[in-house]
Amino acid sequence: MTVTATLFRFEDSYAREVPGLSVPWAAASVPAPELLVLNEELAAELGVDPAELREPPGVALLVGQVPAGVTTVAQAYAGHQFGFYAPRLGDGRALLLGEVIDTQGRRHDLHLKGSGRTPFSRGADGKAAVGPMLREYLIGEAMQGLGIPTTRALAVVATGERVLRERAQPGAVLTRVAASHLRVGTFQYAAASGDRDLLRALADYAIARHYPEAAGAPNRYLDLFRRVAEAQASLVARWMLVGFVHGVMNTDNTTISGETIDYGPCAFMDAFDPATVFSSIDEGGRYAYGHQPRILQWNLARLAEALLPLFDDNSEAAVEATTEVLDGFTDAYARHWAEGMAAKLGLAAPDRDLAEDLLKLLRSQQLDFTRFFRALSAGTARTLFTEPEPFDAWAVRRQVLLPADRATVAAAMDRVNPVYIPRNHRVEEALAAATDGELGPFRRLVDVVSRPFEERPGLADYAGPAPAGCAPYVTYCGT
């Protein structure tokens, strides 16, 4: 069904085609909605005039006050959180407004966070604070600029009320745009219901929406799994290549589409170290930077368990097919990472030994991951090392592998190695100012990280890590 709203033509294919995995629910009322930030580029892609979204009816829509005939829903899903299974999670403070077809004919979910309690809230207030919602907006735009598949924020609207966390903070609602919100946890929930028809309907829906090529495969459900594994192998490789640490890689935060979702305790690594953890709740380092590929494979194994009844009536054959795909994930990730690292190093072909030896050097001398690669293309990387001799030996090995046209090599490297990432101290400064009502630093930072590869005058302060002596950076799961 298509419902024409004031601004959007909402569709509801998910709620209709997979009944039982969502609950009709309405957003809480908002006392004094105020638009804080609007993604005008994204609005235009969705076919909406940004000026209309800035008007009172547009702002009202962005906090869930929908026209008659539009039914918003809270989605159901399960998930493994830090390795422990939770059978009923779901949208505890979120609602799916509906689906929108953009100007290129692509289907997107329009989804709210911080819109109030739902049947899945588990006793929480269902609200969100300004800072975490702006973080999600900021990191999503940074990932978009880096070319990494990601959900994005259309807007953040202040609610005019206070939410109690460690302290009272201004409340906000975020409008998120995603290829869909189908997660590994969605399939876990469907599988746990024991209703094979529901599980099959969900898998058919995922195929039609994200991987239509799988529909013609001899085993469409196994092919769906294989394609999800490939998409996630590519995604986690891209995270690793820019030093991104997701921080909360639960199965309910692993999408079927291959988009990055849920920017809670995430951050970008400064000094290279595989053990890097930022999240305050990840005391054991389960989701450390260096663990992310393995965790993604573990999450895919949970997806396979959910889909197993659809793979083959013969359980042994189903397990064998699953194992083959999961083993293939390791090879796919290694391929994506090696190809990406070759591009970062300016090589015509991957050299895994060269790349891994470099990472050992970066770790031993605690070099900044992002700055090193830009300095490498500029020919100034040696100056970053306190003990340059090991780098000199490594550089000789690299030199013989480089194409002859060094200027072309450097230009190509600069197209994949960012100058600007959301440096953690800059993120915190911007969010603190925004929480106090000053959005200028936030807008500036969004502009900087949205164009990460283009070095611009006057932005040198955004290109480096926090000053020496700063306390270790810690993030909190506020989104």
Side-chain angles (χ1 to χ4, degrees), residues 53-284:
L53 281 172
R54 294 185 180 278
E55 294 296 323
V59 176
L61 180 65
L62 294 172
V63 294
Q65 305 307 306
V66 296
V70 175
T71 301
T72 55
V73 301
Q75 295 169 297
Y77 48 85
H80 278 84
Q81 299 188 315
F82 286 87
F84 296 96
Y85 180 64
R88 190 175 188 269
L89 295 172
D91 286 336
R93 55 172 170 174
L95 289 175
L96 179 62
L97 287 178
E99 300 147 19
V100 177
I101 308 300
D102 72 9
T103 56
Q104 303 298 314
R106 298 168 298 193
R107 182 179 297 271
H108 301 275
D109 281 358
L110 215 60
H111 187 258
L112 302 181
K113 292 183 72 172
S115 51
R117 288 189 177 95
T118 76
F120 304 106
S121 294
R122 304 183 301 282
D125 64 9
K127 303 297 179 65
V130 163
M133 296 302 95
L134 289 177
R135 174 189 287 273
E136 178 142 345
Y137 186 110
L138 171 68
I139 303 300
E141 290 309 286
M143 298 290 267
Q144 175 73 12
L146 289 165
I148 298 174
T150 181
T151 58
R152 298 176 70 187
L154 175 62
V156 177
V157 179
T159 61
E161 59 186 354
R162 310 287 285 183
V163 297
L164 186 61
R165 295 298 181 260
E166 297 83 8
R167 56 184 175 84
Q169 301 178 44
V173 174
L174 175 136
T175 307
R176 181 166 62 193
V177 177
S180 84
H181 285 79
L182 299 182
R183 315 153 188 262
V184 170
T186 313
F187 282 85
Q188 291 180 288
Y189 187 94
S193 74
D195 185 342
R196 186 175 293 197
D197 289 339
L198 176 63
L199 178 63
R200 183 177 290 107
L202 176 61
D204 287 341
Y205 182 83
I207 289 170
R209 186 155 178 177
H210 295 301
Y211 303 103
E213 303 88 352
N219 188 329
R220 59 191 290 146
Y221 305 116
L222 183 62
D223 197 57
L224 166 65
F225 179 52
R226 183 177 292 111
R227 291 174 187 274
V228 173
E230 171 63 27
Q232 288 291 344
S234 174
L235 178 65
V236 74
R238 294 187 190 200
W239 291 357
M240 300 296 285
L241 291 166
V242 297
F244 175 72
V245 184
H246 185 280
V248 61
M249 292 178 64
N250 300 329
T251 58
D252 54 295
N253 292 331
T254 304
T255 63
I256 300 305
S257 66
E259 287 185 334
T260 315
I261 193 171
D262 207 340
Y263 294 111
C266 65
F268 283 76
M269 179 174 61
D270 290 331
F272 179 79
D273 184 351
T276 298
V277 173
F278 296 108
S279 173
S280 63
I281 59 176
D282 193 3
E283 296 177 354

Side-chain angles (χ1 to χ4, degrees), residues 347-408:
L347 306 181
D351 188 316
R352 191 171 187 89
D353 289 341
L354 186 74
E356 291 182 344
D357 289 346
L358 170 65
L359 296 184
K360 292 175 185 176
L361 275 179
L362 298 185
R363 183 182 185 185
S364 67
Q365 299 201 33
Q366 298 183 313
L367 259 67
D368 185 87
F369 186 72
T370 301
R371 292 183 75 180
F372 169 79
F373 287 99
R374 288 296 290 210
L376 188 65
S377 67
T380 59
R382 189 179 193 273
T383 63
L384 301 178
F385 289 85
T386 54
E387 298 177 13
E389 291 78 11
F391 171 74
D392 292 340
W394 178 87
V396 169
R397 293 166 57 196
R398 171 179 175 262
Q399 193 77 5
V400 300
L401 300 175
L402 292 175
D405 187 346
R406 301 302 164 80
T408 300

